[in-house]
Amino acid sequence: MKYVPGPEIFWLLLCSIALYISKSNISPTFAWDDFIDKSWFYIPALAVLTFGLFWLPGVEKNWLLPRIWVSCLLGGHFVLDRLMNAYSKQGPGAGIGYLAGLMFVFILLCIGSVVVKWIR
């Protein structure tokens, strides 16, 4: 059986990393707080990497764009939700980080879709 790389595998990996970070961000040090605080920027930046699948030769291109959209929106939601729940200083900042991250994912998906359709 041949395994095809896809955006779902990428987001499954990111979800497992977010789960590890959220379990290891415990008191008294809260070692991952600085990373979690900036994850609203890192997660959308990683979502852009899924558009690189269009240039891999072994990937089926017919339904790739809808798969990227669904996996990025769902994966971004689960990753940001897990990370923001693990943040030690709960408050409006964690909620705004979640919303900002998902808005950036959506904006970058729109831009990436236009670029991919224009180039290919």
Side-chain angles (χ1 to χ4, degrees):
M1 183 170 173
K2 183 180 174 186
Y3 292 104
V4 178
E8 299 87 2
I9 295 171
F10 177 73
W11 283 103
L12 185 65
L13 177 68
L14 285 178
C15 283
S16 62
I17 291 171
L19 181 67
Y20 170 75
I21 289 173
S22 67
K23 288 194 184 272
S24 64
N25 192 40
I26 55 174
S27 62
T29 60
F30 294 110
W32 290 98
D33 262 359
D34 192 39
F35 175 78
I36 292 171
D37 190 34
K38 293 177 180 70
S39 66
W40 65 269
F41 177 75
Y42 296 141
I43 300 304
L46 290 173
V48 173
L49 293 178
T50 57
F51 286 103
L53 292 171
F54 277 99
W55 287 274
L56 290 179
V59 178
E60 178 65 33
K61 310 287 191 291
N62 289 338
W63 285 94
L64 186 58
L65 194 58
R67 284 175 58 202
I68 287 175
W69 269 81
V70 169
S71 64
C72 284
L73 289 176
L74 289 176
H77 160 70
F78 286 121
V79 170
L80 284 169
D81 180 51
R82 174 62 68 178
L83 287 175
M84 292 303 163
N85 282 336
Y87 191 54
S88 66
K89 301 174 200 119
Q90 291 294 319
I96 294 299
Y98 169 79
L99 288 174
L102 277 183
M103 282 192 303
F104 283 144
V105 166
F106 183 76
I107 290 168
L108 290 175
L109 282 173
C110 291
I111 293 170
S113 298
V114 169
V115 168
V116 164
K117 287 298 183 180
W118 184 48
I119 290 176
R120 300 207 39 87

